[in-house]
Amino acid sequence: MPTFAVHYTYSAGTVPGRDVHRAEHRNWLGSLVDAGTLLTSGPYSDGSGALLLFRTSSEAELLELLGRDPFAREELIDAVRVAEWLPVLGAFSD
C-alpha cells in the first residue's frame, strides 16, 4: 500500500481557529492511527505547519480523507502538499 507524506502549511491568522478545533482535529487523527491509516503526525516546531504520514490505497482516497479533517472543514490550513513517499529504511519501510 502506498505511503504518502502530507505537508500542511499554517499562517498566524489561523492560530485562534486551530486552538478552538485542535482537540477535534487530534481526535480525528487518533481515529486514523487506530485504523492503521495514519502512521504518525505532528506540527513543525516553528508553527509553520505539520507533517502527516499516511498509508492509503490511492492518492484520491487520501484526498477524500483529508477533506474530513476538522482543520480543513474550518479552512484553517493555508496549503496542502501531498507526495507519495518510498521509505526504504527504518520504521516505515516495508
Side-chain angles (χ1 to χ4, degrees), residues 12-62:
T14 64
V15 169
R18 285 186 284 122
D19 287 346
V20 168
H21 296 283
R22 182 168 286 110
E24 184 183 6
H25 167 74
R26 288 192 175 164
N27 286 337
W28 176 77
L29 291 172
S31 72
L32 298 177
V33 170
D34 293 344
T37 304
L38 179 63
L39 302 175
T40 192
S41 70
Y44 299 127
S45 61
D46 65 0
S48 66
L51 173 65
L52 307 92
L53 297 179
F54 288 91
R55 281 210 178 118
T56 61
S57 60
S58 68
E59 186 172 341
E61 178 186 335
L62 174 62

Side-chain angles (χ1 to χ4, degrees), residues 3-10 24-25 28-29 31-32 37-42 50-56 58-84:
T3 301
F4 295 93
V6 176
H7 302 268
Y8 281 178
T9 301
Y10 303 139
E24 184 183 6
H25 167 74
W28 176 77
L29 291 172
S31 72
L32 298 177
T37 304
L38 179 63
L39 302 175
T40 192
S41 70
L51 173 65
L52 307 92
L53 297 179
F54 288 91
R55 281 210 178 118
T56 61
S58 68
E59 186 172 341
E61 178 186 335
L62 174 62
L63 293 174
E64 191 277 326
L65 187 65
L66 292 175
R68 297 184 209 161
D69 184 339
F71 279 6
R73 184 191 68 230
E74 299 297 326
E75 299 181 355
L76 300 171
I77 305 165
D78 295 313
V80 177
R81 179 176 176 264
V82 174
E84 188 169 349

